[in-house]
Amino acid sequence: WNITRQEGLRRLYRGFTAPALGYAPMFAVRVTANELLKNNFVGSTLASPSTSPALRYAVIATCGAFAGALETLVIAPVDAIKVRAQMHRLFKRRIIEKEMTDAIRAELAALKPTMSALKQALRDGLFTGGSATLLRQITYGASTFLSYELLKSQLARENDNVKGFFKLVCGVSAGMIAAIIGSPFDVIKSRMQTGLDKYSSLGKGFRVTLQEDGFRALYS
């Protein structure tokens, strides 16, 4: 609310260009890679009547995880640029002067950008926070496709013909489940990409976040 009140609705879309250009190919890679893996490598296992449900779902989750790992190559640079674009605006907010401690203000001041978000990302590395991004995308990929298939199969037990609307519900539900599971990695990824030393690694990022802000910060 403070951001919207002080800087307007447009502030919520700061850094939107990079994800808008990056997320479309990211989802294309995810879906295409998942389908290629299922059709060319494990299609016979999924189609076999003798395959147990547990093995079938394990294969679906594995394909989703591999697809998520591949899409990291696309989305990691996009996220790096997006976070830096959002930080550029951060230093112009009056809330920094009014509500932050001197220690936090000093850390932010040390990061005050002197170049464009793209140039800063190129300087610091487009794959900063790559470990957290990789784990986030693997988690997203595995949980999305697995949840979708589980929910769809559950509906199919009650109705042999799962129609479009119910597939949409399954897709939305699968996305929500994936977001809940992957949120902690997303939070740490963003903090690692700020460039602050205390978030210099995945383990350190989790430890500092839990110590300073508590478990709820992983879902903030």
Side-chain angles (χ1 to χ4, degrees):
W1 169 252
N2 282 335
I3 294 174
T4 305
R5 179 168 54 84
Q6 294 182 15
E7 302 180 42
L9 187 62
R10 291 180 60 187
R11 172 65 181 87
L12 299 178
Y13 293 91
R14 181 72 178 181
F16 174 75
T17 304
L21 295 175
Y23 276 79
M26 182 200 75
F27 283 113
V29 169
R30 178 188 297 182
V31 175
T32 302
N34 182 68
E35 289 299 314
L36 287 174
L37 287 168
K38 288 198 300 183
N39 294 336
N40 297 313
F41 295 99
V42 295
S44 59
T45 301
L46 293 174
S48 175
S50 62
T51 301
S52 67
L55 177 58
R56 183 173 182 275
Y57 291 128
V59 169
I60 290 172
T62 301
C63 289
F66 273 108
L70 288 174
E71 72 184 6
T72 301
L73 298 174
V74 177
I75 200 59
V78 172
D79 277 348
I81 297 170
K82 180 190 72 173
V83 169
R84 284 160 178 79
Q86 291 170 337
M87 288 183 65
H88 276 218
R89 187 67 175 176
L90 175 65
F91 299 102
K92 298 179 181 179
R93 287 170 50 190
R94 289 186 301 171
I95 193 172
I96 292 178
E97 302 298 332
K98 291 184 177 181
E99 299 181 11
M100 290 191 175
T101 65
D102 291 339
I104 295 177
R105 193 179 299 118
E107 283 186 320
L108 292 174
L111 293 171
K112 187 171 183 178
T114 57
M115 58 187 74
S116 70
L118 177 58
K119 289 182 179 179
Q120 190 177 1
L122 290 172
R123 183 199 65 182
D124 297 339
L126 289 174
F127 287 89
T128 300
S131 57
T133 305
L134 177 63
L135 290 173
R136 182 191 66 174
Q137 298 311 125
I138 288 175
T139 303
Y140 279 173
S143 57
T144 297
F145 290 110
L146 177 59
S147 300
Y148 178 76
E149 291 296 332
L150 283 170
L151 292 168
K152 194 171 67 170
S153 65
Q154 185 63 37
L155 286 176
R157 292 179 183 178
E158 303 173 4
N159 187 349
D160 292 336
N161 185 18
V162 181
K163 297 183 179 180
F165 174 75
F166 294 103
K167 288 183 179 180
L168 176 63
V169 173
C170 290
V172 171
S173 300
M176 292 174 63
I177 292 171
I180 292 171
I181 297 174
S183 179
F185 296 117
D186 185 52
V187 170
I188 301 304
K189 180 271 308 176
S190 297
R191 295 191 177 202
M192 290 174 68
Q193 289 175 332
T194 62
L196 294 175
D197 289 338
K198 62 181 180 179
Y199 304 121
S200 58
S201 68
L202 180 65
K204 195 174 180 181
F206 268 108
R207 185 171 62 255
V208 172
T209 299
L210 290 173
Q211 288 176 348
E212 294 186 354
D213 303 316
F215 180 79
R216 291 180 62 183
L218 298 178
Y219 291 91
S220 59

